[in-house]
Amino acid sequence: MLSYKAPIADIKFLFEDVFNYYEHYQKHPEFEEATPDLVDAIMEECAKFSENELLPLNQSGDEEGCTFDNGVVTTPKGFKEAYQKFVEGGWPSLPHAVKHGGQGLPASLGMVMSEMMGTANWSWAMYPGLSHGAMNTIHTHGTDEQKELYLTRLIEGSWTGTMCLTEPQCGTDLGQVKTKAEPNGDGTYNITGTKIFISAGEHDLTDNIIHIVLARLPGAPAGTKGISLFIVPKNQTDEQGNIGEFNNVSCGSLEHKMGIKGSATAVLNFDNAKGVLIGPENKGLECMFTFMNTARVGTALQGVCAAELAYQNSLIYAKERLSMRSLSGTKHPDKIADPIICHPDVRKMLMTQKAISEGGRAMIYYTAKLVDEIENAKTEKERKKADNRLGFITPILKAFLTELGSESANHGLQIFGGHGFIKEWGMEQIVRDTRISTLYEGTTGIQALDLLGRKILMTRGKSLNAFAKEVLIFCKDQSMISNNPHKRQMNKFIWPLSTTVAKWQQYTIRLGLKAKKDRDVVGSASVDFLMYSGYIVMAYFWAQMAQAAYEKLATDVENRDFYRAKIKTAEFYFERLLPRTKSLAVTMMADPKTLMQLDEELLSFL
């Protein structure tokens, strides 16, 4: 059976020593209740819920999966009971506004909750997780009446929500959406069409499911300019929220998937289902993208969850599994062989998992502060500034962390050897469950095009230069402050980080010049460029964690081993993982002709 213990010590280190979260909370009067004592208590209780209620359902949920019977979907045994405990514990309302029934705590604290629950059982966590997109959309674009009817019940968890975007003929290219919305003349619309790949689209956890649906009005412009957004409940409701007649939103089938089998991925058929418009007509795609950054950060979190779960279980196994003697001499003469953790290759995989999970967590928690700032900005200028920073880093997080999460999961399977391929250990499930994370909310290739094309080249590098400036200021502060007692120790991080950032900017300029002559340069370089960027961004946070660890070593005697481990992991990252940028630099700058010069007809001679 899979093991999981919430990494509270590491989370607190980021909160208290790296990102100064409590100082951040004090800047926002809305977060006055987010005191260290309350946050600690929430972390401890969330850890208990995740470890005791969700983890035991992880493998059984995968084995049983969701069942489909003539449109009725039943979640795996224990899922519904766990969801009821989740609601009774007040967890859904934690990071939402008090005026809509929430507890008024920061979104960043909700991210901590999502990490613990997602690591313990990602399939289960997707049910409440999918509601966030619906909630954010209604909160931002809904009328007061829509918020009162739908948002309050989504926040309390009595209803769940989905985002219905994809159709059989289109995924990322939403300009091809065919679902129709016919006005009824009373402010409602009849929605007709089919949506696929709808996570948590049908289930038995709640009495109602609120679908946010992309559809076209009569006479709407073609392409993305003619898409509107609608709220379509599974069951009709009156103004008081009482559930009435079935609303002709039926589940046609469940997808038979590689992983996340405890999460229902539904084909939904809308047959003159009654809905209401949310946001302006023909502006549905714009409204939808107001929450896409936060949704993609949530998907990036899956990469961290997979890395953490794979690492924790790999470490336990590597300490116990005996095989051969250490190359540098016997380490456990009392045993028939040494544990495999003594072998450098196994240690390399473990250290890679550790560096990915802890570095990825730092990237997520840095971004969570930006989400707080966006949601609680006092002026449009403040909101726009934070949103631009979030917009730049989001595709990196989503693609880079999910790719590395998948790598970490595969390292776990490799450490277990043949046992990793067997279901009972759970490692092959982590591999299967996390593979989808590189696909949904936009594939790695789509995120890479967004980063290099939209976020960088179309802005002439403005967003990248702003982030690079932040990193270089950090490097300068570490190297120039004369009374910095850790200056010498930090040099091994600051020098490679600052030089790599400078090269990052130079390569970006060169790519921009090449793209002016050949647009295929963007497509051929984008994924390698994104991964290149990801390793640099993670290096920045590993340098920050090393700096914070050095400072704590001078005062915190009790936890010195923790801080020493943090520094040694940072050293591993800079020596073993950051150098991956060198090969990525070569491939991203390569001429695209080797990709495109072979005629389609010559790709195969079968």
Side-chain angles (χ1 to χ4, degrees):
M1 180 178 176
L2 287 169
S3 298
Y4 172 65
K5 295 292 292 183
I8 291 179
D10 199 60
I11 294 171
K12 287 185 177 181
F13 171 67
L14 294 175
F15 257 62
E16 298 170 7
D17 303 319
V18 180
F19 296 130
N20 299 316
Y21 255 98
Y22 296 114
E23 181 180 317
H24 161 69
Y25 289 158
Q26 289 173 4
K27 293 178 181 178
H28 299 279
E30 301 90 342
F31 300 153
E32 61 181 1
E33 292 188 13
T35 62
D37 287 344
L38 179 63
V39 171
D40 285 353
I42 289 172
M43 287 184 186
E44 295 290 343
E45 288 303 312
C46 187
K48 291 177 184 177
F49 179 77
S50 301
E51 296 164 8
N52 300 331
E53 301 292 339
L54 300 185
L55 182 67
L57 303 175
N58 195 334
Q59 288 174 271
S60 62
D62 176 71
E63 186 68 27
E64 181 183 348
C66 295
T67 57
F68 175 84
D69 182 12
N70 194 30
V72 177
V73 174
T74 304
T75 54
K77 183 179 179 181
F79 271 44
K80 186 171 184 177
E81 291 77 8
Y83 186 81
Q84 290 305 311
K85 291 180 180 179
F86 172 74
V87 172
E88 291 166 4
W91 295 110
S93 63
L94 187 146
H96 297 285
V98 173
K99 64 180 179 180
H100 299 305
Q103 297 178 47
L105 292 169
S108 52
L109 192 53
M111 190 66 73
V112 175
M113 177 185 76
S114 295
E115 184 199 338
M116 291 185 188
M117 295 182 184
T119 309
N121 192 329
W122 187 264
S123 287
W124 182 92
M126 288 186 70
Y127 291 99
L130 265 295
S131 293
H132 288 302
M135 285 189 273
N136 289 341
T137 304
I138 296 171
H139 178 266
T140 305
H141 302 289
T143 64
D144 290 340
E145 292 77 12
Q146 290 170 346
K147 292 176 184 178
E148 178 61 29
L149 177 57
Y150 300 110
L151 187 58
T152 55
R153 288 161 181 82
L154 288 168
I155 286 174
E156 72 183 13
S158 58
W159 297 350
T160 59
T162 74
M163 301 301 300
C164 296
L165 317 178
T166 305
E167 298 183 4
Q169 77 285 351
C170 68
T172 302
D173 187 3
L174 292 172
Q176 299 182 46
V177 163
K178 294 181 178 179
T179 298
K180 298 179 180 180
E182 296 286 344
N184 292 319
D186 60 355
T188 66
Y189 299 79
N190 282 347
I191 312 298
T192 301
T194 297
K195 299 290 184 177
I196 65 170
F197 300 159
I198 308 305
S199 299
E202 179 59 41
H203 56 75
D204 59 349
L205 304 185
T206 58
D207 295 330
N208 211 357
I209 303 173
I210 308 305
H211 304 291
I212 307 296
V213 184
L214 287 180
R216 292 187 182 280
L217 291 166
T224 57
K225 295 181 179 180
I227 300 175
S228 299
L229 203 58
F230 299 86
I231 301 175
V232 186
K234 170 186 172 181
N235 297 305
Q236 295 184 24
T237 61
D238 62 20
E239 294 180 355
Q240 287 72 44
N242 298 310
I243 295 176
E245 296 179 355
F246 176 63
N247 196 28
N248 295 327
V249 182
S250 60
C251 181
S253 64
L254 291 183
E255 304 292 355
H256 299 279
K257 301 174 296 184
M258 174 180 176
I260 55 170
K261 294 184 177 181
S263 171
T265 304
V267 174
L268 294 183
N269 297 313
F270 297 81
D271 185 11
N272 285 324
K274 187 171 290 188
V276 292
L277 182 71
I278 179 170
E281 292 185 4
N282 302 324
K283 299 292 184 181
L285 213 56
E286 294 177 28
C287 294
M288 184 192 72
F289 272 101
T290 60
F291 72 83
M292 285 303 288
N293 281 337
T294 51
R296 286 170 173 167
V297 172
T299 304
L301 183 62
Q302 186 177 1
V304 177
C305 293
E308 180 66 32
L309 189 61
Y311 172 62
Q312 287 195 21
N313 287 272
S314 298
L315 182 59
I316 293 170
Y317 185 82
K319 289 179 177 179
E320 296 175 349
R321 179 67 170 178
L322 304 179
S323 183
M324 302 184 294
R325 289 298 183 186
S326 168
L327 296 175
S328 58
T330 299
K331 299 297 187 292
H332 293 265
D334 57 318
K335 298 178 180 179
I336 194 171
D338 288 326
I340 62 174
I341 197 172
C342 298
H343 303 313
D345 184 61
V346 173
R347 190 67 70 91
K348 180 176 68 175
M349 289 187 284
L350 288 169
M351 289 298 293
T352 299
Q353 290 176 314
K354 181 176 174 64
I356 290 171
S357 62
E358 295 177 13
R361 180 175 298 111
M363 292 169 71
I364 291 287
Y365 287 11
Y366 167 89
T367 308
K369 286 181 70 174
L370 296 179
V371 176
D372 283 347
E373 291 173 9
I374 292 169
E375 293 186 355
N376 296 277
K378 299 298 183 293
T379 66
E380 179 59 21
K381 183 179 180 180
E382 289 178 2
R383 190 202 66 79
K384 188 69 175 176
K385 181 179 179 181
D387 192 52
N388 286 339
R389 292 168 66 195
L390 178 64
F392 166 72
I393 202 170
T394 292
I396 298 175
L397 260 67
K398 194 281 171 184
F400 178 73
L401 291 182
T402 56
E403 291 288 350
L404 263 61
S406 187
E407 176 187 340
S408 182
N410 277 287
H411 283 320
L413 192 148
Q414 188 76 13
I415 290 168
F416 273 73
H419 291 293
F421 205 66
I422 305 301
K423 275 184 172 290
E424 65 184 273
W425 295 90
M427 302 310 292
E428 59 85 33
Q429 182 190 335
I430 302 175
V431 173
R432 288 187 290 104
D433 284 351
T434 195
R435 189 62 183 85
I436 183 63
S437 66
T438 66
L439 306 177
Y440 54 23
E441 297 295 345
T443 64
T444 298
I446 293 298
Q447 301 298 328
L449 286 173
D450 179 45
L451 175 67
L452 182 56
R454 287 185 64 240
K455 302 293 174 55
I456 294 180
L457 296 184
M458 288 180 65
T459 65
R460 297 185 179 181
K462 184 178 179 179
S463 55
L464 184 148
N465 290 332
F467 186 83
K469 181 180 179 181
E470 177 184 334
V471 180
L472 292 173
I473 288 174
F474 168 79
C475 293
K476 182 179 179 181
D477 288 345
Q478 292 301 308
S479 60
M480 297 296 291
I481 298 175
S482 59
N483 62 347
N484 183 357
H486 315 298
K487 179 179 178 180
R488 182 179 59 83
Q489 296 100 319
M490 285 297 295
N491 280 342
K492 59 180 172 286
F493 305 119
I494 296 307
W495 175 249
L497 177 60
S498 57
T499 54
T500 307
V501 168
K503 290 178 181 178
W504 190 20
Q505 293 175 294
Q506 292 167 7
Y507 282 131
T508 302
I509 293 172
R510 289 173 58 188
L511 282 173
L513 293 174
K514 291 179 69 173
K516 288 183 178 180
K517 299 177 181 179
D518 183 356
R519 293 302 295 174
D520 275 339
V521 166
V522 179
S524 68
S526 57
V527 171
D528 290 339
F529 179 84
L530 182 145
M531 296 301 290
Y532 179 92
S533 304
Y535 285 112
I536 297 172
V537 173
M538 187 175 279
Y540 171 45
F541 293 112
W542 266 116
Q544 288 189 67
M545 288 189 281
Q547 184 265 337
Y550 275 124
E551 288 188 0
K552 294 299 292 185
L553 272 174
T555 58
D556 190 344
V557 177
E558 183 179 350
N559 296 300
R560 280 187 175 178
D561 286 345
F562 175 89
Y563 301 119
R564 288 183 180 128
K566 191 66 67 174
I567 292 167
K568 291 183 184 298
T569 308
E571 291 173 348
F572 169 86
Y573 182 85
F574 271 77
E575 291 186 8
R576 292 280 182 167
L577 298 185
L578 184 59
R580 293 181 180 183
T581 55
K582 295 179 180 180
S583 62
L584 288 166
V586 173
T587 54
M588 74 186 185
M589 298 306 298
D591 196 304
K593 69 179 182 180
T594 53
L595 302 180
M596 310 301 294
Q597 66 185 358
L598 187 60
D599 292 341
E600 293 178 21
E601 294 78 10
L602 302 182
L603 284 169
S604 174
F605 293 94
L606 297 177

